[in-house]
């Protein structure tokens, strides 16, 4: 294939000293000029070969160069399954200060609008707070008592939007600065460090039909405006974050829209005051693909009136398995790709106005379970009991850990 084709310098015929002297003695002026050109070509070949070797050496040094320095808390984690206190202790030890948590509305209010079940989320927030890891919740997933599909944004009727507002308000009132969760008695939370939730991400991958049907910037703007007003009413200092936009989803316009196009269209409907930050899910086969996605999104933000808003990558990652471009074939391959991408993001963070990057995910999942094609091996730890680190964990720590 062309990717494996190697550049070669042309081979020259070998002459004995005797033949070369005889040829030189018989030369005409034209032949002497030709030999001079031949010698020049040979010298050029040596020069180009030397330069090529230098370039290879420089690339080798770059791959073995130390991790670029990132600000404290710049790299974070997005688990794909529940976490325990042991998990968050390991996160803290590795320099992780923030964890993105999927908060399904259906799991909080599975049967009706009258009752809330916060038990599972309480456990996650408690495990995180115990080790001073902040939680970034992403609120999504319409319950079956409200609409017939979980991917339907709850904006079709006044009742749907009111129910959503109520859910959002209850979440802020529970986990925000004056939240009821932090006021529980010591015997229950054991003098838990107060790690109030001050950032709220509204919906997940709203530009892709897996999570939003139909894909509609106008409908999402309606949801985002209502969410921002509700959150600010209950916590004026909170940040409202745009859904993690999938960089380049595949499909027709009603099912998929590139993140940069979505931002431009969203800006026509949403209030600027409803957006404190824009989030992106930067999935690509390699670092050049990541660079292309984040550059396009930053350009779209500038063009759409969000120049001053920071960007976050709330999901990115590669697996250590094999089978497609997002799987790097081995633990070493996964670690190498992480290092390449992280070095780029650290170096470009000021230009991109990039606030934080979340690696997806914390642990591998059961290969017998249902998951996306690369998600089984995208973790920093192997599937199973305990925390058995993969090579990517040491690479991650080389960027995130600060003594």
């Amino acid at each position: 294939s062309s990717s494996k084709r190697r550049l070669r310098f042309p081979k020259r015929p070998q002459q004995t000293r005797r033949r070369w002297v005889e040829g030189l003695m018989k030369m005409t002026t034209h032949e002497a000029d030709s030999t001079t050109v031949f010698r020049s070509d040979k010298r050029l070949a040596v020069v180009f070969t030397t330069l090529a070797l230098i370039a290879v050496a420089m690339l080798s040094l770059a791959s073995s160069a130390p991790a670029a320095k990132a600000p404290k808390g710049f790299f974070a984690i997005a688990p794909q399954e529940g976490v325990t206190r042991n998990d968050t202790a390991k996160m803290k030890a590795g320099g992780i200060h923030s964890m993105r948590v999927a908060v399904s509305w259906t799991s909080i209010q599975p049967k009706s609008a009258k009752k809330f079940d916060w038990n599972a989320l309480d456990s996650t927030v408690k495990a995180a707070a115990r080790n001073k890891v902040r939680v970034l919740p992403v609120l999504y997933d319409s319950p079956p008592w409200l609409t017939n599909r979980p991917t339907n944004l709850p904006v079709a009727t006044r009742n749907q939007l009111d129910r959503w507002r109520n859910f959002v308000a209850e979440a802020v009132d529970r986990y925000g600065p004056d939240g009821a969760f932090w006021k529980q008695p010591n015997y229950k939370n054991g003098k838990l460090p107060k790690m109030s939730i001050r950032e709220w991400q509204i919906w997940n991958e709203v530009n892709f039909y897996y999570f939003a049907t139909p894909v509609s910037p106008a409908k999402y703007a309606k949801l985002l405006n209502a969410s921002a007003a509700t959150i600010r009413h209950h916590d004026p200092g909170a940040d409202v974050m745009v859904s993690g936009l999938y960089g380049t989803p595949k499909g027709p316009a009603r099912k998929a829209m590139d993140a940069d196009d979505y931002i431009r269209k969203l800006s026509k409907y949403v209030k600027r005051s409803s957006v404190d930050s824009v989030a992106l899910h930067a999935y690509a086969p390699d670092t050049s693909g990541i660079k292309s996605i984040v550059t396009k999104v930053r350009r779209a933000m500038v063009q759409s009136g969000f120049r001053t808003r920071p960007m976050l990558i709330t999901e990115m990652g590669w697996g250590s398995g094999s089978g497609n471009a997002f799987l790097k074939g081995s633990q070493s391959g996964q670690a190498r790709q992480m290092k390449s991408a992280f070095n780029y993001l650290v170096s470009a963070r000021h230009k991109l106005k990039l606030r934080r990057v979340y690696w997806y995910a914390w642990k591998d999942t059961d290969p017998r379970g249902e998951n996306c094609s690369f998600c089984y091996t995208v973790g920093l730890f192997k599937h199973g009991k305990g925390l058995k680190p993969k090579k990517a964990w040491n690479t991650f720590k080389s960027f995130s850990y600060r003594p």
Side-chain angles (χ1 to χ4, degrees), residues 44-357:
L44 283 173
V46 172
V47 170
F48 288 142
T49 302
T50 303
L51 289 174
L53 290 171
I54 292 172
V56 170
M58 290 177 68
L59 286 172
S60 177
L61 286 172
S63 66
S64 61
K69 294 295 182 183
K72 183 178 179 180
F74 183 75
F75 288 105
I77 200 73
Q80 57 182 329
E81 293 183 320
V83 297
T84 66
R85 186 172 171 178
N86 288 338
D87 291 310
T88 59
K90 180 68 79 172
M91 292 176 191
K92 180 183 179 181
I96 295 173
H97 298 274
S98 180
M99 175 176 68
R100 182 176 183 259
V101 175
V103 180
S104 161
W105 185 10
T106 297
S107 70
I108 304 298
Q109 292 186 286
K111 295 181 180 180
S112 75
K114 296 179 180 179
K115 187 176 180 180
F116 294 85
D117 181 0
W118 300 106
N119 289 328
L121 186 54
D122 279 357
S123 296
T124 299
V125 173
K126 184 175 180 179
R130 183 71 65 201
N131 289 297
K132 296 186 178 180
V133 176
R134 290 198 176 276
V135 169
L136 168 63
V138 49
L139 309 179
Y140 76 111
D141 190 31
S142 295
W145 49 263
L146 188 70
T147 182
N148 63 347
R149 283 189 295 191
T151 54
N152 287 343
L153 300 183
V155 297
T157 66
R158 176 66 178 271
N159 178 61
Q160 285 186 359
L161 201 53
D162 284 346
R163 298 301 185 190
W164 170 260
R165 286 191 185 101
N166 187 50
F167 164 61
V168 172
E170 289 289 335
V172 178
D173 284 346
R174 187 168 188 82
Y175 302 109
D178 296 320
F181 177 80
W182 309 110
K183 297 177 182 178
Q184 293 184 23
N186 289 341
Y187 72 84
K188 191 166 186 177
N189 277 343
K191 295 184 180 179
L192 196 67
K194 187 177 180 181
M195 304 293 288
S196 305
I197 293 177
R198 307 301 303 277
E199 288 180 304
W200 301 87
Q201 190 172 31
I202 307 304
W203 219 261
N204 186 62
E205 294 186 0
V206 76
N207 63 325
F208 192 40
Y209 74 99
Y210 278 20
F211 290 96
T213 48
V215 169
S216 168
K219 290 185 176 182
Y220 180 62
K222 190 174 183 180
L223 185 72
L224 194 56
N225 287 333
S227 302
T230 301
I231 290 169
R232 302 261 171 64
H233 179 73
H234 292 260
D235 178 12
D239 276 5
V240 179
M241 189 184 300
V242 170
S243 161
L245 299 172
Y246 186 4
T248 54
K250 305 300 180 185
R254 281 178 61 84
K255 288 190 171 185
M257 191 181 300
D258 283 359
D260 57 322
D261 290 338
Y262 196 93
I263 287 291
R264 292 187 183 94
K265 290 180 172 63
L266 179 66
S267 68
K268 298 176 182 178
Y269 304 101
V270 76
K271 296 177 182 178
R272 295 296 181 275
S273 59
S274 297
V275 177
D276 291 307
S277 58
V278 174
L280 173 65
H281 289 179
Y283 289 113
D286 52 29
T287 304
S288 63
I290 296 285
K291 182 178 181 179
S292 174
I293 292 170
V294 296
T295 301
K296 287 179 181 178
V297 170
R298 171 45 68 184
R299 186 182 303 124
M301 289 174 65
V302 171
Q303 294 169 348
S304 304
F306 300 123
R307 178 188 293 271
T308 62
R309 306 302 196 270
M311 177 198 298
L312 292 89
I313 296 177
T314 49
E315 283 188 26
M316 68 171 290
W318 291 272
S320 56
S322 303
N324 62 51
F326 298 97
L327 295 166
K328 295 304 166 183
S330 67
Q331 288 190 33
S332 296
Q334 181 189 32
R336 282 194 300 270
Q337 181 53 65
M338 172 192 279
K339 184 174 183 177
S340 172
F342 279 15
N343 271 322
Y344 163 68
L345 293 172
V346 171
S347 66
R349 69 186 187 280
H350 296 301
K351 182 179 179 181
L352 296 171
K353 207 172 177 63
L354 185 61
R355 175 184 287 175
R356 203 177 307 130
V357 175

